[in-house]
Amino acid sequence: FHDAAGLERAWMPMLQKTLAGKKRWSAGKVTLSLDVLMSEEEPGLLNVMLRDYTLDPWRSAGTISVLPKGVIDVNGKRIPARNGMWHHGVVSFELGGGSIERISVFITNDEGLNESLVVPFRDREFSTLTWLGISAGGESRSVTYLDNVELRVE
C-alpha cells in the first residue's frame, strides 16, 4: 500500500472483499492470516477491518491497526512490531451459537517475537462476517507491504 497526502478520502487506498450468499459466514471458526511490513523510512497506518453488514448500522468484530510507531493495535490492546521487519499475523474467532465473542491474535517475526492476545469483539452484536477491508488510513506519504493474505472458515 502506498498512501499519500491529499487523497479524496483518508481511508484510501483500500482493498475490500464483500462476502455474500454462501460466502457469508455466520458459523464456524474464522481465520485470517497475513504478513505485513511497515516501511522503516516511510511508516504509515494500515487497518484490517472485519464487519457485519447484516445489521443497520453495521457491526464490527474489530480492527487490527499497524501503527506508524511500530505497534499493532487490536481493539485497544497493543503488541510491539518493529518497522522494517516482516510480521506474520493470525487472527481467529468463532461464529455461531455459543460463540465467546472474542478475537485471538498471534504475531510472530524472524527476530523471535511470539506474542498473543485475546480481546472481545468491538460490537457484541457482531454475528456474521460479510466484509473484510484493508485500508491505508494515514494522510501522508507512507509505504506498507502486505503478502500471503488468507481468509477461511472451518
Side-chain angles (χ1 to χ4, degrees), residues 60-80:
S60 174
T63 298
I64 298 93
S65 298
V66 183
L67 305 174
K69 293 186 179 184
V71 172
I72 297 174
D73 180 289
V74 183
N75 290 356
K77 290 198 176 180
R78 295 184 167 195
I79 296 173

Side-chain angles (χ1 to χ4, degrees), residues 1 36-45 66-70 81-87 111 141-145:
F1 281 80
V36 63
L37 182 148
M38 182 64 68
S39 169
E40 202 166 18
E41 297 78 22
E42 296 180 302
L45 171 64
V66 183
L67 305 174
K69 293 186 179 184
R82 187 169 67 82
N83 292 344
M85 169 171 282
W86 282 100
H87 292 80
E111 282 189 342
R141 180 174 166 76
S142 65
V143 178
T144 307
Y145 299 92

Side-chain angles (χ1 to χ4, degrees), residues 116-132:
S116 64
L117 56 86
V118 176
V119 297
F121 285 171
R122 191 183 104 188
D123 297 313
R124 293 193 71 209
E125 300 87 2
F126 177 88
S127 64
T128 303
L129 180 61
T130 62
W131 187 82
L132 167 67

Side-chain angles (χ1 to χ4, degrees), residues 79 88-92 104-108 114-118:
I79 296 173
H88 178 70
V90 177
V91 178
S92 62
S104 298
V105 179
F106 301 94
I107 307 291
T108 59
N114 188 5
E115 293 282 338
S116 64
L117 56 86
V118 176

Side-chain angles (χ1 to χ4, degrees), residues 2-32:
H2 289 265
D3 205 351
L7 296 178
E8 183 180 337
R9 304 219 192 286
W11 45 260
M12 292 177 151
M14 181 170 60
L15 171 68
Q16 62 181 336
K17 175 67 177 169
T18 300
L19 306 165
K22 292 180 181 180
K23 296 287 185 182
R24 189 178 276 187
W25 295 329
S26 57
K29 180 179 180 181
V30 176
T31 303
L32 170 66

